[in-house]
Amino acid sequence: MGESIRCKFYHIDNERNRQYISSAKTLVVSFIGMATQEVGIKSNLQIILKSDTEVLDEVMVVAYGTAKKSSFTGSAAVVDSKKIEKRQVSNITNALSGAVAGVQVMSSSNGGQPGSTAKIRVRGTGSMAAGNAPLYVVDGVPYDGDLSSINTSDIESTTVLKDAASNALYGARGANGVVLITTKKGSMGKAVINVDAKWGSNSRAVPNYDVLTNPATYLEQAYLSMYNGQIYNGKTPAEANAFANQSLPTNNNGGVGYQIYTVPQGESMIGMDGKLNPKATLGYSDGTYYYQPDNWYDELFNSGNLRQEYNLNISGATDKLNYYMSAGYLDDSGLIAGSGFTRYSARVKADYQAKSWLKVGANMSYTNYDMQSPASQDSYAGTSSANLFYVANYIAPIYPMYARNADKSIMVDSNGFTVYDFGDRSVGGNYKRTFMSGSNPAAMMELDKRQYLADVFSGRWYAAVNIWDGLKFTYNIGVDLDNTRYSRLYNAYYGQYSKVGGIVYAGSTRTSGINQQELLSYTKEFGKHNIDVLVGHENYTYEYKYLNGSKEKLFNPNIVEIDNAIKNPSISSFTDNYSTEGWLARAQYDYDGRYIFSASYRRDASSRFAKDNRWGNFGSVGGAWVLTKEAFMENQKWADFIKFKVSYGIQGNDDLLFNDVYGSKNYYPYQDQYNVVENNGDFAVNMSYKGNPDITWETSYSFNAGFDFNLFKGLLNGSIEYFSRKTTDMLYYMPVSPSNGYAVYPKNVGSIRNSGIEIDLNSDIIKTKNVQWNVFLNATSVKNKILELAPELNGELISGSTIYKEGKSMYQRYYRKYAGVNDEGVALYYMDVKDEKGNVTGRETTTEWNKATRYETGDLLPDVYGGFGTTVSAYGFDFSISCAYQLGGKLFDSGYQSLMHNGSAASAGQNWHKDILNSWSESNKGSNIPRLNGNDTYANSASDRFLISSNYLDLTNITLGYTFPKAWVTKLQLSNLRIYFAADNVALLSKRKGLDPRQSYTSANAMTYSPVRTLSGGIKLTF
């Protein structure tokens, strides 16, 4: 069974080299996870071991220290190294998807670009205009480096602190939750060497929308749009057919601009039946060029992109020294040409007991990474012609990507470059595209360059002095330095910048953060009474330096240096500074591990506010009751451990962002900000931002209550919690009349509340020596409500399709309501009918979208989100699968909306979703999809028609491995050998193909870098 049995009072008989009992009176019986028992020796014994929750009690990393999970009054969750190691990610944030209750991982603006950091939201969004990202803390000190510079193989655990009782000590910086990253250290004994190598490939995890791919089908729909426009304008079928055929290859009246079919002389391409002439053959030559459509999706996205990763670490410990050293290499290729992430990393960590009263430690890491990130592939690029993900989804399947000679061969220029068709008659052909004319992203990917080359250093040092009997002083200092060189080249050969001979940009950023902590703690046991007191001081300084320059007209078109160009020099630079200071205190008392009380206080100052509003007071109180320690629970065999906990706390947030699409940080929101410009050879300034010296802390009041439990002799453990977070004095940009010289200004206004329930379950269904089976499930439900807006808004703020209304969720939208189609297939929208006094008396439909009434959509937030999975290990084999999910919400699918256009001149050459084939027609009058008519103005105007379920199931990871028997590997001088296969981002199931609801709570499109699927095989050796 694996139990251990010892006898008290024994000696060794050296002559016979055996151990025997000499006057032994007591047996000591122990088993992993069970309470050790001592029993008197008798001739016949039956010993029943009981579960020991203290043995199983997890020691967690918490704010400024550690704590036993059984005595922790706050809300926190731990993801250990075993789970992290299964994920093939270049950034730790991507490994948290579905792993932690209350935590949702969403796509960043860079999407699946290797090395990018995902958006993390802990228990919803607590602010309208301020930052909502959690604080990241590495080995006890807040971290300012790029998270992608941390090698995930160096991480021992990641702890997410979710409520005020657990993160209030971090003050303002912890208002949106705290993610504690703890790096690995050595274990007692001889040095251990681990080598881990994996090889695999990356591919696109989210496909295109289900768009038209057949050129003939697309041209038939384009024809139908023009044909219907004429029919409904009174023309005869023959006239409409002639008009549509004449317009189709032109740039007029909704034509596509290209001739790609060869049609017999004197015949039309599209017949009176609306179908392609059966005699037409794909491909057309004008004598100079040959035109045939290319599959842009297949051509633009690389296949079989290599991903390789190698990690080596050496660790060990003695009674005085604990050490860990590592080195790693990662080559993570992107989905498109010129995209990837290459990282070299190294870490050295040591703790040394210099004296009985002094312990010192250092933890230093260095990372060099090269992120190749083509421009215009993020959410900010939108419909940019350089955005490959936009182009691959939206370009009609009729256009050539390559320029071809009349003999059908792809053209190559004098420099050896492939010639691409730019669709503007300038390069590659004599036709002009009606979609994205004058550009070709394939050429840009081949010839343009953008690179971020970074050196990142992170250091943590500490000294701990044991002053007297539980009284300890600790000094921590953390230094993070990130020096990044940025370079960008717009090529001189093709595209819009070829006219100026190309443009080169070069620049650098330097980010530095220094955090110092002085902590005095006292820990003492008095019988059954335990106290833990901490007081401290912390100060933090941050500096960001930016320098960027550019020139035009390159001398050598391949050198990315400013001195390689000669015209129109431009340079800019700035420096941002930010600092905080805090005084903190925490006290915890428990009686016999049964009754636990905690309290914390922090007084924080932020340089983001004027001096009179700089300081804020925050803190928390909490309590816990371990019910299974009570006498009335002693005979309850089903309950091993049950703890009730409750906490309440106050936190602040100073992270007001700029009111722009980038959401960049504003370090001086209380000050008016100006740009210095030149005016006739003299200085001039213009206001770029209106400040407000009266703004102060956004304050959150958080309540948390729940149960932690371990039941049925360890079969089931987990937690269930209720939380509520009310944010007041929200940092927000109030709209004002532009006649003031500015459109918005910052102000503390209103309040919102996020509340919900979390459930986290974990079950060891089978746990024997040779077979283990574990299952986990977590679920979170969050509701949002706006409690108060600024008085002058009269309870409601409407901006475009966004509506903020007291008593309602901040995640509802304001859209016109789609009413289907009328008897002629024209889109209908609802409109309120009002009496003379303006009271709504009814509702009717209208074909004029601009006259239709806008209605509230209701809350778009999902009802529940979370994750689940299982791990099975048997006789050396191990298999695990994990998923993330979301249920019950809606979002606006703007990508689908764009693909359901009416074929007008404004959208000519843009692809359609296949649903357009089911649009209303005389033979399909049961459809609620508007007819195809290029003259219908409001066929796909924004309405609730494009709201769709945001439900999804994300298969995040599958891992299959085999660990060879010890008897085999010892012959190879190894202590462990494991081979494995791992798959990440395996599949995403959503309501519509191509829809990725992980982009945001309210909308999604097809214009960002797609998430990456990774398939790899690996080997891990331990010496």
Side-chain angles (χ1 to χ4, degrees):
M1 292 292 294
E3 66 269 17
S4 172
I5 301 176
R6 295 184 290 113
C7 299
K8 284 194 173 182
F9 312 115
Y10 65 87
H11 73 265
I12 302 296
D13 186 334
N14 290 320
E15 293 180 1
R16 298 185 181 183
N17 194 26
R18 64 186 176 90
Q19 177 177 309
Y20 66 91
I21 299 174
S22 174
S23 65
K25 299 179 180 179
T26 307
L27 283 178
V28 181
V29 185
S30 64
F31 183 77
I32 296 174
M34 312 300 285
T36 299
Q37 294 192 34
E38 295 186 10
V39 296
I41 295 177
K42 298 178 181 180
S43 58
N44 188 11
L45 291 173
Q46 182 180 14
I47 304 171
I48 300 175
L49 299 181
K50 296 182 179 180
S51 174
D52 184 0
T53 56
E54 291 188 3
V55 172
L56 296 174
D57 196 7
E58 181 180 348
V59 176
M60 302 165 50
V61 178
V62 296
Y64 302 96
T66 60
K68 286 186 177 181
K69 189 172 183 179
S70 63
S71 61
F72 187 58
T73 61
S75 178
V78 179
V79 181
D80 62 24
S81 59
K82 292 181 180 179
K83 291 183 178 180
I84 295 171
E85 287 174 355
K86 293 177 182 178
R87 301 301 306 273
Q88 303 171 93
V89 293
S90 55
N91 194 300
I92 182 60
T93 55
N94 295 299
L96 300 180
S97 178
V100 180
V103 174
Q104 192 159 30
V105 178
M106 309 180 77
S107 301
S108 70
S109 60
N110 290 325
Q113 163 66 39
S116 61
T117 300
K119 287 191 298 185
I120 301 292
R121 294 294 178 263
V122 180
R123 291 181 168 178
T125 299
S127 181
M128 287 185 177
N132 287 288
L135 170 69
Y136 294 93
V137 176
V138 175
D139 291 322
V141 179
Y143 182 71
D144 285 307
D146 193 323
L147 287 171
S148 60
S149 67
I150 301 176
N151 189 338
T152 54
S153 71
D154 286 340
I155 297 176
E156 178 65 29
S157 67
T158 300
T159 304
V160 182
L161 307 181
K162 298 181 282 187
D163 71 331
S166 60
N167 57 37
L169 274 187
Y170 287 109
R173 301 176 69 192
N176 296 304
V178 180
V179 179
L180 305 176
I181 298 172
T182 304
T183 57
K184 292 178 179 178
K185 61 181 181 180
S187 299
M188 287 294 293
K190 295 181 180 180
V192 176
I193 302 174
N194 289 302
V195 179
D196 190 5
K198 60 189 73 169
W199 305 266
S201 64
N202 292 333
S203 60
R204 186 168 176 174
V206 178
N208 269 359
Y209 281 92
D210 200 8
V211 294
L212 300 182
T213 56
N214 186 290
T217 304
Y218 180 86
L219 289 174
E220 288 167 358
Q221 297 304 301
Y223 162 87
L224 181 61
S225 174
M226 291 182 283
Y227 176 88
N228 283 342
Q230 295 299 300
I231 290 293
Y232 289 110
N233 202 29
K235 301 296 184 181
T236 66
E239 291 173 329
N241 173 266
F243 175 86
N245 271 291
Q246 183 180 2
S247 301
L248 198 56
T250 73
N251 299 109
N252 304 316
N253 306 312
V256 298
Y258 267 65
Q259 178 78 31
I260 59 167
Y261 278 93
T262 301
V263 181
Q265 187 71 26
E267 296 188 23
S268 298
M269 185 164 63
I270 307 293
M272 290 296 295
D273 60 355
K275 299 298 182 181
L276 182 73
N277 188 327
K279 298 178 183 178
T281 56
L282 187 61
Y284 175 78
S285 176
D286 61 5
T288 304
Y289 298 98
Y290 184 80
Y291 306 95
Q292 72 176 49
D294 290 297
N295 188 320
W296 291 59
Y297 181 92
D298 290 344
E299 297 293 335
L300 290 175
F301 294 102
N302 295 336
S303 58
N305 302 299
L306 175 67
R307 186 188 193 276
Q308 53 182 330
E309 184 174 5
Y310 309 93
N311 289 296
L312 165 70
N313 66 64
I314 304 173
S315 63
T318 66
D319 57 344
K320 286 192 173 184
L321 177 66
N322 188 298
Y323 59 91
Y324 175 87
M325 298 177 288
S326 72
Y329 169 75
L330 169 66
D331 181 13
D332 199 2
S333 300
L335 301 176
I336 57 179
S339 169
F341 182 76
T342 304
R343 180 182 66 201
Y344 297 87
S345 62
R347 182 178 297 273
V348 177
K349 182 179 182 180
D351 301 288
Y352 181 58
Q353 191 74 47
K355 299 289 183 181
S356 60
W357 51 269
L358 175 64
K359 188 175 184 178
V360 295
N363 181 2
M364 293 174 286
S365 68
Y366 168 76
T367 299
N368 171 270
Y369 72 75
D370 180 356
M371 180 186 287
Q372 298 177 15
S373 175
S376 302
Q377 309 305 310
D378 54 30
S379 60
Y380 309 128
T383 59
S384 167
S385 60
N387 186 339
L388 270 66
F389 296 89
Y390 166 70
V391 172
N393 264 289
Y394 292 100
I395 194 168
I398 60 171
Y399 293 119
M401 191 175 81
Y402 300 101
R404 290 177 170 84
N405 295 303
D407 62 1
K408 303 183 183 181
S409 62
I410 295 176
M411 301 179 76
V412 178
D413 68 12
S414 59
N415 296 301
F417 297 136
T418 299
V419 179
Y420 295 91
D421 187 346
F422 275 72
D424 62 353
R425 303 190 182 102
S426 65
V427 179
N430 293 317
Y431 286 109
K432 183 178 181 181
R433 286 196 301 264
T434 47
F435 176 79
M436 211 179 62
S437 176
S439 62
N440 191 309
M444 303 303 102
M445 290 301 104
E446 182 176 334
L447 301 174
D448 292 352
K449 300 176 183 178
R450 189 171 75 159
Q451 179 187 48
Y452 295 88
L453 188 62
D455 295 299
V456 182
F457 172 80
S458 181
R460 304 287 185 267
W461 298 268
Y462 76 89
V465 180
N466 291 316
I467 300 173
W468 172 80
D469 194 22
L471 182 64
K472 181 170 71 174
F473 174 77
T474 304
Y475 174 75
N476 295 316
I477 182 171
V479 177
D480 296 312
L481 298 174
D482 185 330
N483 292 315
T484 301
R485 188 182 190 277
Y486 163 81
S487 60
R488 184 171 180 175
L489 174 74
Y490 290 103
N491 78 89
Y493 300 104
Y494 300 105
Q496 59 180 322
Y497 298 108
S498 62
K499 299 174 183 178
V500 297
I503 303 177
V504 61
Y505 290 85
S508 67
T509 62
R510 175 180 170 85
T511 304
S512 63
I514 301 176
N515 196 293
Q516 299 182 76
Q517 301 168 354
E518 301 86 25
L519 308 173
L520 185 65
S521 62
Y522 181 66
T523 305
K524 189 66 176 177
E525 295 184 11
F526 301 95
K528 293 184 178 182
H529 303 272
N530 302 283
I531 61 171
D532 186 347
V533 179
L534 171 73
V535 294
H537 171 263
E538 182 174 27
N539 66 285
Y540 165 74
T541 57
Y542 169 89
E543 183 180 69
Y544 176 82
K545 291 181 172 292
Y546 171 88
L547 173 66
N548 187 54
S550 67
K551 281 184 181 179
E552 297 176 359
K553 197 170 184 179
L554 282 66
F555 172 72
N556 185 325
N558 301 311
I559 296 178
V560 191
E561 298 291 350
I562 292 178
D563 281 352
N564 180 47
I566 59 174
K567 296 183 67 176
N568 296 329
S570 175
I571 194 166
S572 63
S573 69
F574 64 85
T575 299
D576 279 327
N577 290 284
Y578 170 59
S579 62
T580 63
E581 183 177 12
W583 297 89
L584 57 99
R586 179 183 63 202
Q588 179 166 309
Y589 165 80
D590 82 72
Y591 173 74
D592 194 27
R594 184 183 308 175
Y595 310 114
I596 303 107
F597 304 95
S598 66
S600 67
Y601 170 77
R602 177 152 180 156
R603 180 167 170 78
D604 248 354
S606 169
S607 64
R608 280 194 168 109
F609 304 129
K611 290 184 178 180
D612 292 341
N613 300 308
R614 188 157 289 174
W615 288 91
N617 298 299
F618 314 106
S620 69
V621 292
W625 176 26
V626 181
L627 281 74
T628 42
K629 290 264 187 175
E630 298 292 349
F632 64 81
M633 293 290 291
E634 284 184 354
N635 297 321
Q636 300 295 328
K637 296 182 180 180
W638 59 273
D640 307 321
F641 175 82
I642 299 178
K643 179 183 70 177
F644 172 73
K645 60 186 179 183
V646 62
S647 66
Y648 179 80
I650 304 172
Q651 293 175 276
N653 188 359
D654 66 346
D655 191 17
L656 183 64
L657 307 176
F658 276 113
N659 189 36
D660 58 24
V661 296
Y662 301 104
S664 49
K665 292 182 179 294
N666 187 349
Y667 293 103
Y668 320 99
Y670 71 95
Q671 294 179 325
D672 293 342
Q673 299 173 33
Y674 298 88
N675 291 324
V676 179
V677 296
E678 184 269 341
N679 183 20
N680 294 325
D682 206 347
F683 296 103
V685 295
N686 57 57
M687 179 179 287
S688 60
Y689 173 86
K690 177 61 180 176
N692 180 2
D694 294 328
I695 61 170
T696 187
W697 298 91
E698 180 178 274
T699 306
S700 296
Y701 300 85
S702 299
F703 174 79
N704 190 84
F707 290 90
D708 293 337
F709 51 83
N710 192 332
L711 309 176
F712 311 115
K713 297 183 179 180
L715 178 64
L716 177 66
N717 64 80
S719 64
I720 179 170
E721 299 181 22
Y722 168 80
F723 61 87
S724 177
R725 177 185 174 190
K726 178 183 177 181
T727 305
T728 64
D729 294 328
M730 288 187 300
L731 293 168
Y732 187 71
Y733 286 102
M734 280 291 296
V736 296
S737 173
S739 61
N740 291 311
Y742 50 90
V744 296
Y745 76 102
K747 188 178 180 181
N748 292 100
V749 296
S751 62
I752 61 173
R753 181 174 62 229
N754 287 294
S755 60
I757 295 175
E758 289 177 0
I759 299 174
D760 194 356
L761 302 175
N762 189 77
S763 178
D764 290 318
I765 299 175
I766 300 175
K767 194 172 184 179
T768 65
K769 180 180 179 180
N770 294 316
V771 180
Q772 297 87 39
W773 179 20
N774 172 269
V775 176
F776 77 89
L777 166 71
N778 66 72
T780 303
S781 177
V782 181
K783 294 300 179 185
N784 175 275
K785 181 183 287 188
I786 299 173
L787 303 177
E788 182 185 4
L789 293 172
E792 55 266 41
L793 295 176
N794 297 317
E796 184 176 276
L797 172 63
I798 299 174
S799 176
S801 61
T802 299
I803 179 172
Y804 294 137
K805 193 172 185 178
E806 290 180 356
K808 300 296 181 68
S809 169
M810 64 184 284
Y811 292 103
Q812 70 166 343
R813 290 296 180 263
Y814 206 46
Y815 290 122
R816 290 165 175 85
K817 192 171 184 63
Y818 185 62
V821 297
N822 64 12
D823 293 340
E824 294 183 342
V826 180
L828 292 173
Y829 303 91
Y830 285 109
M831 178 176 65
D832 285 344
V833 177
K834 297 180 180 181
D835 60 20
E836 295 178 354
K837 296 180 180 180
N839 299 315
V840 178
T841 60
R843 191 166 68 174
E844 62 184 12
T845 59
T846 177
T847 59
E848 298 185 62
W849 174 87
N850 57 333
K851 293 182 179 180
T853 304
R854 290 194 292 175
Y855 300 94
E856 299 169 20
T857 61
D859 192 3
L860 299 182
L861 280 178
D863 293 331
V864 63
Y865 64 84
F868 62 90
T870 187
T871 299
V872 180
S873 301
Y875 301 97
F877 291 95
D878 62 90
F879 171 79
S880 67
I881 184 170
S882 60
C883 300
Y885 67 90
Q886 177 175 288
L887 299 170
K890 292 184 177 181
L891 55 75
F892 188 85
D893 191 351
S894 62
Y896 179 74
Q897 177 199 14
S898 298
L899 292 168
M900 295 298 289
H901 61 88
N902 64 342
S904 67
S907 52
Q910 182 173 303
N911 209 346
W912 274 293
H913 192 278
K914 286 184 178 179
D915 286 353
I916 205 69
L917 301 177
N918 191 39
S919 58
W920 187 97
S921 67
E922 290 294 335
S923 60
N924 188 31
K925 292 185 177 182
S927 174
N928 70 341
I929 299 175
R931 68 191 186 189
L932 260 183
N933 182 346
N935 296 331
D936 287 348
T937 307
Y938 303 119
N940 69 328
S941 297
S943 71
D944 66 350
R945 170 190 170 194
F946 300 107
L947 287 177
I948 190 173
S949 169
S950 62
N951 294 355
Y952 70 79
L953 176 62
D954 178 11
L955 181 50
T956 56
N957 176 263
I958 298 175
T959 300
L960 175 64
Y962 178 70
T963 301
F964 289 85
K966 295 286 186 183
W968 296 8
V969 299
T970 51
K971 297 178 182 179
L972 301 174
Q973 304 300 310
L974 298 172
S975 60
N976 196 67
L977 171 61
R978 180 174 181 263
I979 57 175
Y980 59 90
F981 165 80
D984 274 277
N985 263 348
V986 183
L988 176 71
L989 302 179
S990 62
K991 187 67 174 179
R992 178 176 288 134
K993 179 185 175 183
L995 174 67
D996 187 356
R998 298 169 298 181
Q999 292 182 11
S1000 81
Y1001 291 125
T1002 57
S1003 65
N1005 58 49
M1007 302 178 187
T1008 59
Y1009 201 120
S1010 170
V1012 175
R1013 178 190 299 112
T1014 301
L1015 306 178
S1016 292
I1019 182 171
K1020 185 174 183 179
L1021 304 92
T1022 302
F1023 297 88

